[in-house]
Amino acid sequence: MRGIDTPIKNLRKRVFTEVAKVAFDSENINDDIEAIPYKISPSDRPKYRESIYRERAICAERVRLAMGLSLRPDDAPVHITSGMDASNVAEKYYEPPLMQVIPSACDMCEDNVYVVTDQCRGCVAHPCSEVCPKGAITMINGKSHIDREKCIKCGKCKAICPYGAIAKKVRPCSEACGIHAISTDEQGRAHIDDEKCVKCGQCMASCPFGAIADKSQIFQLIQAMKQGKVIAELAPAVIGQFGDDVRLWKIKAALREIGFADVYEVALGADIGASTEAHHYVNEVATGKLPFLLTSCCPAWSVLAKRTLPDMVETVSNALTPMVATARTIKQRHPECKIVFVGPCAAKKLEASRTTVRSDVDFVITFEELEAIFAAKGIDMETYECEEPIHDATGAGRGYAVAGGVASAIEQCINEYYPGTDVYIEHAEGLAECQKALLLAKAGKKDGCLIEGMGCPGGCVAGVGTNIAIPKAAQAVKKFVKDSTTPLPPKEYSKIELP
């Protein structure tokens, strides 16, 4: 549903914007945070739910998540701001888990259930009944009826109905999860298994009730900006996210205006990664030391790979992810600064919370959250005119934002700097395809390959923190790559040692 201005998208933006306004300007933070649900739903008539009380209760939970706090318990009176003092510091990360289901917002969708719709004409042939292996379909009042106690959900009735009168009900969030991390709890609500979840956020993007949300750090980020030097690193998927004609130079100028000390391209780290992984492939896979090489830039893919191949973790590239490589480059130049990664991805929030990354990347926010920060400061990117030059990367690194772009960049580096080396490329997008590729690799079916994995179908431009439709975002990135003055990073990047 990305690229569509749905009420869910607008509600999320309102919450982020109001939280950002409080962080920037409030002199009475607790009272102003408690007031946000009433600002967003000021009337006594509900706009989105059957009750104004439920509407405000859901909004209150969104506010807590937007501040990096966990949901309130169902069985105890807890203020929206409870626990905020411990989070109102620049060093505070979100409280795990990252991705949560808001119970009061979940519509308790049925999952994997076959139903007969009003399209049924009660035909004489009645093929649905004839093909049912368990005799679960009978005629009641001239229409087909499915006995759920007998139904084994084989789908044969749906496939054969000449009128398409039988539908399969699926929970949208569950269907979007490629690794089956979402189940149904005892009350019929969605439940996320945090042990399985890799935090890609596709469930969040698919829920039409906005019942799943990740936690944000915008409140803590703004506190850090008010206290000291914060530098932003922009993921290459940013192109097109704030308007058709909003190029990187304009985004940098706007970030500087709202208080960031400087701005870098994460594609710089992608260039370092492409050169490094090209070197790894030539020296490890082409020589037979490793059976295959898995890219490391997508955290959802990387976590899934290490879980699927626990005995082959050495096949996951040890190259720093673009986010981390860029952050370490920045901190070499500005050791006293804090760094925020601005990107399309929820899983990057998980990556940044790891102990090995924590000292490199201080905050992670999405393009969606940045749009709300711009709104809080009264900046309309469509009409904004200031620009500041930025040239940190090549076309190869900028292409990381689109599925296939990582493997393409590495392949180009191999062909340019290691001529005569045969390279075999595979790429998978979406967790289900990623899982399949990993199992094939484990079975020895991908030997000699460089395998790029992307947790989101379409690549980073399909991340849940993006603002525009995926095809439009992909087109914008491809044009950005094509227009880049330098196509490839230098071979020497593979020898860069970052502390």
Side-chain angles (χ1 to χ4, degrees), residues 281 285-286 290-295 315 422-427 441 445-452:
Y281 182 88
V285 180
L290 286 178
F292 50 84
L293 184 67
L294 308 177
T295 58
T315 61
D422 292 328
V423 54
Y424 304 97
I425 300 292
E426 294 274 350
H427 89 265
K445 304 295 185 182
K446 301 292 182 182
D447 286 359
C449 283
L450 167 69
I451 308 175
E452 171 203 316

Side-chain angles (χ1 to χ4, degrees), residues 426-469:
E426 294 274 350
H427 89 265
E429 48 187 290
L431 292 179
E433 287 300 314
C434 286
Q435 183 84 76
K436 180 180 177 181
L438 290 168
L439 292 174
L440 288 171
K442 185 176 183 179
K445 304 295 185 182
K446 301 292 182 182
D447 286 359
C449 283
L450 167 69
I451 308 175
E452 171 203 316
M454 289 286 186
C456 298
C460 299
V461 292
V464 297
T466 54
N467 297 325
I468 61 176

Side-chain angles (χ1 to χ4, degrees), residues 248-249 265 389-393 398 485:
L248 198 60
W249 291 22
E265 287 187 73
I390 179 170
H391 293 288
D392 295 324
R398 290 165 175 169
T485 54

